[in-house]
Amino acid sequence: LNEFCERFAGSPEFRKTLRDEISDWMLRRRKDVLPNLKGKQRQTVPVILSQTERDEYNQIMRSDQHRFARLGALRQLLERVKVRILADLMAELDVDDKVILFCEYQESVATLREHCLKLGVGCVTLVGSDSPKKRQKAIDAFQQDPDCRVFIGTRSAAGTGYNLTAANYVFFLGLPWTPGLQDQAEDRAYRNGQLRMVVVKIPLAEDTIDQQLWQMLMDKRALASDLIDPEAEESSKKALAEIL
């Protein structure tokens, strides 16, 4: 590992060396070569903590828990905070829109289901403990029943392997650790068979670790783009310059 870091880490020139060495045997498959897809758009949504929520957040920050336990507690708290904005997010949708809600914690799935039922919105859930039969029943209901508008699942259980193209919205109440995991989850909706633009909404609690994690994901995404597809980053910069 030390030798690898010395050769390839730390500068764009080192990353170019790595890119050159792996280019002969790496094949990248891109979604933009699928002409039927209408595109995918990411939007962040600011969330302001109430004073009570801020006090609880600060209390966890000051606790003497191990740092990983403290981090987990903060992430769980922020997922609970974001549950309360569900009604506002749902109010923005048209009657024929469907949405996938991804959580990092199973407790959030149960809470979101209760909120959907209170709002009178049809929903299904999928978590890791569900049997294959129960999972398929939830997927079929979401895909086929127009009254079933919300699919709620933990990202670890529902974020790979399933076709959920009935959804044209994807919400993340918690963020994964890598862009690849995020892309995999988003692509339950953004895949062959999707006939609409897919909108991904990411609520971010202001002045919390949410913003740091989101920045980390963007940095990792930029690094991967620089390593695997540097032309894509340059193309994006040119497109932005033209808009400005």
Side-chain angles (χ1 to χ4, degrees), residues 72 75-77 79-80 83 101-114 124-131 134-135 152-158 173-174:
R75 281 163 60 82
Q76 282 187 288
L77 169 63
E79 278 204 356
R80 293 200 305 271
V83 168
L101 299 178
F102 281 118
C103 310
E104 292 297 304
Y105 297 95
Q106 190 165 323
E107 294 83 356
S108 302
V109 174
T111 304
L112 284 167
R113 180 178 180 276
E114 292 176 6
V124 291
T125 63
L126 194 156
V127 296
S129 58
D130 290 343
S131 67
K134 185 176 180 180
R135 294 181 184 214
I152 311 166
T154 53
R155 181 199 47 78
S156 58
L173 272 74

